[in-house]
Amino acid sequence: MSMSVCTDISASDWLVGQDMPWYQLSAKGPVGFPAYARLRFLPDTPFEGQKTTDPGFVESWYETNTEQFPVVLEILSHYTSTPDDCYFCLWDGWGCEVTGDDVPMMKIPNRDYWLFSGALTDSGDWGSSYQPGTWRGGMPDPAFIWPADRTWCIANDVDPDFAVIGGPAEAIELLIADPRIPGSTR
């Protein structure tokens, strides 16, 4: 299956209504979860003085990112009663288009998103209404992911080299301990 674009964006009202600056919401996600973890996308530098902006890190970032998200979603799927009813936000700045008549956008200051729904197992399959841009072969990662029961949320803004996951303490502990997710921290 694939995700479907939402023409009713009311499922995002709880996120948009967070009382916090936009840059904190987009980078760290909503407040109120029992625990949080940071999912690092860039590996540690192999030697002192090397910068993450040095050549070769872009490739490492892509490989690490694409390998970690499925693991995170698989773990989090056990911490929701609605794994087949989830929401995914696609940032409009990737140069992608979403087709359809008057498709509304979820908006926070300085960021606009299309809202999609589907099962966690659909993540990354934006469906037929999505028209890819040129970034990473047209398959951008979701900016936000949360299940309908809102037991957890992933915030994955375009600027930081990490995502933040808020959710049940047990789930966060499992994410931090999982060797397939290197560098995850509180």
Side-chain angles (χ1 to χ4, degrees):
M1 296 238 349
S2 62
M3 297 183 289
S4 302
V5 68
C6 295
T7 55
D8 175 2
I9 60 170
S10 62
S12 66
D13 290 349
W14 75 283
L15 193 59
V16 173
Q18 293 283 310
D19 186 23
M20 60 195 308
W22 73 269
Y23 51 87
Q24 287 180 340
L25 177 60
S26 64
K28 297 180 180 178
V31 297
F33 290 105
Y36 290 84
R38 184 173 60 123
L39 175 65
R40 294 178 49 203
F41 296 139
L42 292 178
D44 290 330
T45 57
F47 57 87
E48 188 175 333
Q50 186 176 21
K51 297 177 183 167
T52 57
T53 55
D54 287 350
F57 273 87
V58 171
E59 293 80 11
S60 297
W61 175 80
Y62 177 71
E63 290 171 11
T64 302
N65 190 19
T66 55
E67 292 170 3
Q68 292 182 127
F69 256 116
V71 173
V72 168
L73 294 178
E74 190 276 321
I75 291 170
L76 291 175
S77 72
H78 301 288
Y79 292 90
T80 177
S81 62
T82 60
D84 293 328
D85 187 10
C86 295
Y87 294 94
F88 308 82
C89 291
L90 175 64
W91 179 51
D92 77 334
W94 290 129
C96 310
E97 291 296 324
V98 172
T99 58
D101 296 331
D102 299 320
V103 176
M105 298 186 86
M106 178 186 119
K107 297 178 182 246
I108 61 175
N110 298 310
R111 297 284 191 265
D112 294 344
Y113 309 93
W114 287 287
L115 183 64
F116 287 76
S117 64
L120 278 181
T121 54
D122 296 335
S123 183
D125 185 353
W126 295 106
S128 62
S129 60
Y130 165 73
Q131 303 301 312
T134 57
W135 184 80
R136 288 197 344 189
M139 299 304 288
D141 294 316
F144 290 99
I145 305 172
W146 71 91
D149 64 8
R150 294 185 275 186
T151 53
W152 50 262
C153 183
I154 299 172
N156 180 28
D157 192 42
V158 60
D159 291 330
D161 58 6
F162 59 86
V164 173
I165 305 155
E170 183 180 326
I172 298 304
E173 291 299 323
L174 285 173
L175 292 171
I176 292 169
D178 196 301
R180 298 170 295 171
I181 311 171
S184 293
T185 61
R186 285 190 211 309

